[in-house]
Amino acid sequence: MPLPPRSKPRRPQARPADPRRQPKAPPAEPRLILFNKPFDVLTQFSDGEGRATLKDFIDIPGVYPAGRLDRDSEGLLLLTNHGGLQARIADPKHKLAKTYWVQVEGEPSDEQLQRLREGVTLNDGPTLPAEARRLDEPELWPRNPPVRFRKSVPTHWLELVIREGRNRQVRRMTAAVGLPTLRLVRVRIGDWTLDGLDQGCWREVPAKLPR
């Protein structure tokens, strides 16, 4: 008795395209912005409390900060639209050097500077060694509002170079050695500097990964 003919296997029907799925846009051309952040400006583009933000100074769509700079600190902030560049700058594992000019209360001793160079123990553990040296008072823009001084206590400037990114790290380091920070200005990140950049201004530079 002949066998019945085999039926052809059914091919799975193609699913209709999901109209909600859109093809990914091509990656944007990498951009890198250097910004001299003023005192009392948040390193974000919006704020529900009416405080000053990056939006008040930078009108470039699609860029975001590569790292942070505290509201009460000033100086160099990098912004980019490129995720890989952002991670390379901001991720502490890359130990990108950050240079700060720090006005402290008191007169730094050799012992205090050496403690900073060796690393100090904070409440979240010991820091990496920092580069620390005394600095002649730099020529900077006036801070608004001005720093409050105690007439009976002298102030001095330090240059600190760190390769970490802990919350308020420089302020905590100087306080740990008995030198409270009065004013903090970041002047360099890797090879990028504030040179020629006025307070509240920005410029675009080639978006190259740091060495």
Side-chain angles (χ1 to χ4, degrees):
M1 183 174 178
L3 295 174
R6 293 182 180 180
S7 59
K8 293 182 179 180
R10 292 183 180 181
R11 293 182 178 179
Q13 294 182 349
R15 294 182 180 180
D18 187 344
R20 294 172 298 177
R21 290 187 177 182
Q22 300 294 330
K24 289 185 178 180
E29 187 71 21
R31 303 183 71 178
L32 181 62
I33 307 300
L34 276 58
F35 175 53
N36 186 348
K37 188 189 85 69
F39 179 82
D40 204 27
V41 174
L42 296 172
T43 56
Q44 58 198 49
F45 280 93
S46 61
D47 179 62
E49 301 180 27
R51 295 172 294 184
T53 69
L54 302 177
K55 188 176 181 181
D56 298 309
F57 302 89
I58 301 171
D59 186 20
I60 302 176
V63 298
Y64 47 95
R68 297 191 61 81
L69 188 61
D70 293 331
R71 181 184 175 190
D72 54 354
S73 299
E74 308 160 69
L76 185 59
L77 181 70
L78 304 180
L79 301 97
T80 182
N81 64 344
H82 190 274
L85 184 57
Q86 191 273 345
R88 180 66 180 82
I89 295 169
D91 194 327
K93 72 180 181 182
H94 297 297
K95 297 181 174 58
L96 194 62
K98 304 175 183 70
T99 303
Y100 296 85
W101 289 348
V102 194
Q103 186 179 23
V104 297
E105 190 175 69
E107 184 170 353
S109 66
D110 292 340
E111 180 184 0
Q112 289 169 314
L113 292 177
Q114 187 60 30
R115 288 178 62 191
L116 292 171
R117 292 172 186 142
E118 294 174 352
V120 297
T121 300
L122 306 177
N123 57 7
D124 52 357
T127 69
L128 293 175
E131 297 174 34
R133 68 181 183 93
R134 297 180 185 87
L135 185 71
D136 291 335
E137 183 172 355
E139 294 184 8
L140 291 171
W141 53 89
R143 205 192 78 169
N144 184 23
V147 175
R148 291 183 179 180
F149 301 101
R150 289 193 294 172
K151 293 182 179 179
S152 59
V153 181
T155 70
H156 290 80
W157 285 85
L158 300 177
E159 181 178 85
L160 286 183
V161 182
I162 64 172
R163 289 171 173 80
E164 298 176 274
R166 303 190 199 183
N167 182 46
R168 301 181 72 80
Q169 181 175 340
V170 171
R171 295 178 185 275
R172 291 193 291 146
M173 288 179 70
T174 63
V177 301
L179 298 168
T181 291
L182 299 174
R183 187 178 183 186
L184 183 60
V185 182
R186 187 161 65 197
V187 296
R188 178 185 287 268
I189 300 174
D191 293 334
W192 299 296
T193 76
L194 275 183
D195 291 348
L197 196 58
D198 291 334
Q199 183 188 38
C201 296
W202 61 267
R203 69 167 173 264
E204 187 164 359
V205 297
K208 295 180 179 178
L209 288 171
R211 294 192 294 268

